[in-house]
Amino acid sequence: MPLLLFLLLLFFTPLIHATAAGEFTFHGFTASNFSLNGLTQITSNGLLLLTNNTKEALGHAFYPAPINFNNSSRLGSATPSFSTTFVFAIVPQYPDVGGHGLAFAITPWKDLPGSMPSQHLGLLSDSDNGNSSNHLIAIELDTVKTIEYNDIDNNHVGIDVNSLISLNSSTVGYYKSMMGDFTKLNLMAGDALQVWINYDADNTRLDVRIAPAKTPKPAAPLVSSTVNLSHVALNEMYVGFSASTGAGSARHYVLGWSFSLDGEAQALDLSRLPSIPKKGNTKKGTSVIVIVGLALAGFSLLLILVLSILFFCHKRRKKFQEVREDWELEYGPHRIPYVELYKATKGFNETNLVGSGGFGRVYKGVMPKSRAEVAIKRISHNSKQGIREFVSEIASMSRLRHRNLVQLLGYCRRQGELLLVYDFMKNGSLDKFLFEGKEPSLSWDQRFKIIKDVAAGLLYLHEGWEQVVIHRDIKASNVLLDDNLGGKLSDFGLARLYDHGSNPKTTHIVGTLGYLAPEFSKTGKATTCTDVFAFGAFLLEVVCGRRPMEFSSGHEDVPGLVELVTEWWEKGRIVEAIDPNMNGSFNVEEAELVLKLGLLCSHPEPTTRPSMRQVAQYLGNTARMPDMPLASLGGSIRFASFDVFSNDFGASFPSTAEVTSDHQSSTPTNSH
Ligand SMILES: *[C@@H]1O[C@H](CO)[C@@H](O)[C@H](O)[C@H]1NC(C)=O
Ligand SMILES: *[C@@H]1O[C@H](CO)[C@@H](O)[C@H](O)[C@H]1NC(C)=O
Ligand SMILES: *[C@@H]1O[C@H](CO)[C@@H](O)[C@H](O)[C@H]1NC(C)=O
Ligand SMILES: *[C@@H]1O[C@H](CO)[C@@H](O)[C@H](O)[C@H]1NC(C)=O
Ligand SMILES: *[C@@H]1O[C@H](CO)[C@@H](O)[C@H](O)[C@H]1NC(C)=O
Ligand SMILES: *[C@@H]1O[C@H](CO)[C@@H](O)[C@H](O)[C@H]1NC(C)=O
Ligand SMILES: *[C@@H]1O[C@H](CO)[C@@H](O)[C@H](O)[C@H]1NC(C)=O
């Protein structure tokens, strides 16, 4: 008898499996039995939460049974058509600063082995991107513009086949009618949005639509592609979701999902979907009750209370007073109340002080509500003019997002003081590792990765954003290292603060000696070329483990790093310039490439320097660096380095220095 039952089961199970696997609907995921991976969890009210606010992480959730994508085993001869719809929401940790996004995926592997977070969306990695043995079909809802993958913006839907470079993509929105009438949507608004994906096997056409939940399915698709999935799908495929976070984070939710092979997916009943937790908190009411109670208890008592509250509020307001002007209203989301920063740093306690650089003191803090670790930079600033322009830049910079930039989360303004809030980086700045010898010395691979990271971050500033952002102060101490020793550029654009409102006759140049391009000290104009020059100096210091200029107390000529490297090169022993702390274990070709690239970037003639895009290509080995005629070049580099740095500015400049551009006098100021 049990044997018979067993045989019956064996016989019928595949059948039940096949019909059940081709079609399903979930309103909430409490009883779903999905394969979860990474950060994914099912919340108590049934939401599928792919990622919480953990950074640089991913989450997967796949329907547990494979779907049969081979039609020939059933009737026809090709991949079947399919249709699916789901409702999702992305709730960023900070307004406009999200994770990387969410994707619907069809793949042969439930756990997507080797997949990476951040720009890879938990789907692929750098090594397998574009490989046809991925057998991956994905619809990405991407909230970060990744230049390497030709992303069009930081709010798009894309159709991906085996690669994160989309076949077709579009800014998120929907067409209300076939005639056009496009309405834009924001993926990161935290609202529930519904997606419909239809694949028509006869016409090999994949259509994607998106609309706010409770809006009917749009008439026209937002993006479509012609792709024969028979060439991509294997016989058995898993369907589900992937999401990732990067330097910024977000909660990625799926509320409900329905899928069907060969037929329209069952419509979702939106009233049965679990709800997304509300943002913010509501703590009113209790204080009202207290006051009413006290009023009943006695008018005099109330009077005393009110007076003391007024007194307390007055004191408190003075303590936490901020400067706010009408024009700042539009930057609302990026303005952080001083009181929160005060709490985060235990009142800017000395024990929270983690550094004091050229621009002011830096405190570590933990934000009271989100418990996020932040670095708070306190900058004293006296000039009234220019602050408006600067704050507008700050606000637009907090929309800059790249994994190789330290995320600016917001700002706060007080009398004579500006506070900038950044993501906190545990490992601190690169210069500590390179020059102070406190930390273990970095290996060649670590250095090369940091170099490529910084190049990617700078390329994004120069080309990836709607406007060109000049960093103005690239150097090892402005490169911070994350938990995995990945490099992130910080302080971009900060030098600008000292540009605004300064006397036009004595244009102040802000930057750091040894990194200032020769034309910059003449014209005082920062360009992408002056950034590339500083990047060249940075390359040399990372490889050589020395600062670009070692300053001595006297006025004698101390050779700069550019000169030293050029000299070794002339002798045909460029490798001798490499940091001895690596004990000779490095990749000679890579190190030589970086040194030569450092010299090319440090070329005195701005037009000879490569662009950051070219730099990234040389480093990524996708383009060959032009051969430099050393004979002509070496001399001019040396001349330039002497001309600009050694003779005029012999004094000691430990960090950010302010110098006047007319070469008559130099004012060594190390603190602002
Ligand atoms: C996110 O979830 C993981 C595991 O599910 C947990 O360990 C971690 O503490 C959570 N982080 C946050 C910021 O909620
Ligand atoms: C959940 O899915 C797994 C994998 O398909 C299966 O082995 C298991 O029996 C399922 N459990 C339940 C309770 O459905
Ligand atoms: C699909 O299934 C049929 C029958 O089971 C099999 O012969 C065929 O090779 C399969 N197609 C592919 C692409 O594997
Ligand atoms: C796939 O099989 C279904 C029946 O199961 C059939 O209606 C459909 O036309 C087939 N599709 C193709 C492309 O062969
Ligand atoms: C594609 O992936 C397969 C399997 O992982 C691997 O053998 C092959 O070398 C990869 N092809 C390329 C071009 O990387
Ligand atoms: C898609 O590719 C399969 C396998 O090569 C082929 O049999 C089928 O006819 C193609 N479909 C269309 C519509 O071209
Ligand atoms: C991209 O999708 C749009 C909207 O469906 C469509 O009009 C366009 O032709 C598609 N482009 C490509 C290259 O498939």
Side-chain angles (χ1 to χ4, degrees):
M1 194 59 192
L3 186 69
L4 186 66
L5 199 69
F6 177 70
L7 284 176
L8 268 174
L9 266 175
L10 206 66
F11 184 73
F12 279 110
T13 307
L15 221 148
I16 299 165
H17 190 73
T19 49
E23 193 169 344
F24 52 80
T25 304
F26 292 94
H27 293 98
F29 297 87
T30 310
S32 63
N33 186 24
F34 277 16
S35 296
L36 307 181
N37 189 7
L39 288 180
T40 309
Q41 44 181 294
I42 310 241
T43 65
S44 54
N45 67 337
L47 288 163
L48 181 61
L49 175 60
L50 286 156
T51 71
N52 57 16
N53 282 332
T54 306
K55 296 191 168 68
E56 319 261 1
L58 55 77
H60 298 140
F62 282 90
Y63 185 73
I67 305 285
N68 188 349
F69 265 77
N70 177 354
N71 217 19
S72 44
S73 59
R74 300 180 306 153
L75 263 183
S77 61
T79 298
S81 299
F82 72 86
S83 150
T84 187
T85 180
F86 60 90
V87 174
F88 74 98
I90 298 176
V91 182
Q93 186 175 17
Y94 297 98
D96 289 343
V97 182
H100 272 261
L102 181 149
F104 168 78
I106 306 180
T107 147
W109 300 282
K110 281 194 271 199
D111 52 351
L112 290 159
S115 59
M116 302 283 289
S118 300
Q119 75 273 22
H120 307 99
L121 294 172
L123 295 170
L124 295 172
S125 68
D126 277 329
S127 62
D128 62 5
N129 190 38
N131 191 327
S132 62
S133 57
N134 292 332
H135 301 286
L136 171 78
I137 299 128
I139 308 301
E140 59 171 49
L141 300 152
D142 193 337
T143 58
V144 174
K145 176 172 176 172
T146 303
I147 325 179
E148 298 101 290
Y149 299 151
N150 304 339
D151 280 357
I152 49 169
D153 60 14
N154 62 355
N155 184 48
H156 62 270
V157 179
I159 298 177
D160 299 348
V161 172
N162 292 333
S163 167
L164 289 157
I165 299 178
S166 304
L167 293 178
N168 196 359
S169 62
S170 166
T171 294
V172 183
Y174 63 109
Y175 296 98
K176 283 186 173 151
S177 68
M178 286 308 272
M179 309 304 295
D181 203 7
F182 187 72
T183 308
K184 267 185 99 167
L185 292 172
N186 179 3
L187 286 178
M188 277 187 289
D191 303 324
L193 301 172
Q194 184 164 9
V195 172
W196 294 262
I197 301 164
N198 290 79
Y199 178 65
D200 172 356
D202 294 335
N203 300 309
T204 58
R205 188 178 153 106
L206 188 64
D207 283 338
V208 184
R209 293 169 170 82
I210 184 169
K214 302 205 165 82
T215 307
K217 181 173 174 178
L222 176 64
V223 260
S224 34
S225 280
T226 302
V227 50
N228 188 340
L229 292 190
S230 308
H231 303 158
V232 184
L234 299 179
N235 290 348
E236 296 209 319
M237 299 287 277
Y238 292 94
V239 290
F241 301 92
S242 174
S244 72
T245 62
S249 64
R251 294 170 172 272
H252 295 93
Y253 294 105
V254 180
L255 288 68
W257 177 29
S258 135
F259 181 93
S260 171
L261 274 183
D262 293 320
E264 190 68 18
Q266 190 190 324
L268 292 171
D269 178 355
L270 300 181
S271 66
R272 288 173 57 199
L273 299 181
S275 53
I276 321 161
K278 280 270 169 294
K279 293 167 272 180
N281 45 4
T282 46
K283 46 171 184 186
K284 268 191 210 163
T286 48
S287 63
V288 177
I289 293 165
V290 168
I291 290 170
V292 168
L294 283 174
L296 288 174
F299 181 74
S300 56
L301 201 63
L302 178 68
L303 198 68
I304 291 165
L305 187 71
V306 167
L307 281 176
S308 54
I309 285 175
L310 278 179
F311 178 71
F312 177 71
C313 283
H314 178 73
K315 264 190 82 170
R316 189 180 153 89
R317 193 173 321 134
K318 255 195 110 159
K319 185 169 176 190
F320 295 122
Q321 200 163 37
E322 297 173 24
V323 180
R324 248 174 227 274
E325 290 171 55
D326 286 348
W327 54 262
E328 280 182 85
L329 284 178
E330 58 183 295
Y331 309 121
H334 302 295
R335 172 116 199 183
I336 300 178
Y338 182 69
V339 76
E340 281 188 25
L341 302 183
Y342 188 88
K343 280 186 193 154
T345 53
K346 303 194 197 100
F348 292 97
N349 197 308
E350 288 294 308
T351 56
N352 284 40
L353 190 68
V354 288
S356 48
F359 286 106
R361 314 184 94 190
V362 185
Y363 294 84
K364 181 187 175 177
V366 177
M367 293 305 277
K369 278 183 205 147
S370 63
R371 311 303 304 162
E373 285 188 322
V374 294
I376 300 171
K377 196 160 276 197
R378 274 187 104 142
I379 304 167
S380 59
H381 181 60
N382 302 320
S383 140
K384 280 219 172 65
Q385 321 150 273
I387 192 80
R388 175 172 185 167
E389 219 175 311
F390 184 69
V391 166
S392 109
E393 263 172 44
I394 289 290
S396 85
M397 275 180 221
S398 37
R399 287 189 288 137
L400 286 172
R401 267 179 309 141
H402 190 273
R403 65 184 181 287
N404 301 121
L405 296 181
V406 177
Q407 185 65 50
L408 176 63
L409 301 170
Y411 77 100
C412 176
R413 203 151 72 83
R414 303 187 82 206
Q415 194 67 51
E417 191 178 40
L418 185 68
L419 295 104
L420 299 179
V421 184
Y422 293 92
D423 227 1
F424 183 73
M425 294 290 127
K426 274 202 195 68
N427 275 322
S429 61
L430 175 61
D431 61 331
K432 278 196 309 182
F433 286 81
L434 289 180
F435 311 126
E436 285 179 19
K438 272 191 223 149
E439 314 283 344
S441 175
L442 296 168
S443 73
W444 172 252
D445 287 344
Q446 286 166 332
R447 290 180 202 223
F448 194 46
K449 178 170 184 303
I450 292 166
I451 285 171
K452 288 197 277 193
D453 285 348
V454 173
L458 192 54
L459 171 60
Y460 176 78
L461 288 180
H462 286 180
E463 296 185 21
W465 184 237
E466 52 208 34
Q467 74 215 33
V468 176
V469 178
I470 313 279
H471 186 291
R472 289 161 177 262
D473 202 7
I474 291 160
K475 56 180 171 179
S477 57
N478 276 340
V479 170
L480 301 188
L481 300 181
D482 66 18
D483 299 1
N484 307 320
L485 295 178
K488 287 174 195 265
L489 262 173
S490 78
D491 278 2
F492 33 96
L494 218 52
R496 190 91 176 141
L497 181 58
Y498 292 90
D499 260 16
H500 296 304
S502 56
N503 183 348
K505 279 205 181 128
T506 57
T507 320
H508 281 88
I509 293 171
V510 175
T512 304
L513 284 175
Y515 305 84
L516 289 177
E519 78 273 14
F520 183 50
S521 45
K522 294 195 183 88
T523 62
K525 196 166 156 17
T527 61
T528 52
C529 297
T530 57
D531 266 1
V532 170
F533 184 92
F535 181 75
F538 165 78
L539 289 181
L540 299 182
E541 66 181 330
V542 175
V543 180
C544 305
R546 305 173 55 150
R547 297 181 196 277
M549 302 294 296
E550 305 274 332
F551 295 102
S552 69
S553 47
H555 272 249
E556 73 265 28
D557 293 341
V558 183
L561 201 44
V562 169
E563 208 221 354
L564 282 178
V565 175
T566 313
E567 244 172 42
W568 283 119
W569 191 7
E570 277 170 348
K571 290 181 195 156
R573 286 154 59 197
I574 194 167
V575 170
E576 303 269 345
I578 291 167
D579 190 353
N581 282 331
M582 277 188 282
N583 297 324
S585 73
F586 50 83
N587 180 321
V588 178
E589 275 156 40
E590 283 173 358
E592 210 168 290
L593 170 84
V594 175
L595 285 174
K596 288 182 179 172
L597 186 57
L599 291 182
L600 185 61
C601 292
S602 306
H603 198 282
E605 180 52 54
T607 51
T608 309
R609 293 173 209 151
S611 70
M612 280 317 293
R613 183 169 290 275
Q614 286 168 321
V615 167
Q617 284 167 346
Y618 301 152
L619 290 171
N621 213 2
T622 53
R624 245 185 76 81
M625 202 169 80
D627 284 329
M628 277 189 294
L630 173 65
S632 63
L633 206 114
S636 66
I637 286 178
R638 201 165 354 149
F639 174 73
S641 69
F642 269 103
D643 178 33
V644 179
F645 308 122
S646 308
N647 297 335
D648 286 350
F649 314 118
S652 157
F653 298 96
S655 180
T656 304
E658 194 174 315
V659 291
T660 48
S661 68
D662 53 12
H663 287 224
Q664 302 305 320
S665 61
S666 56
T667 31
T669 0
N670 343 328
S671 60
H672 298 284

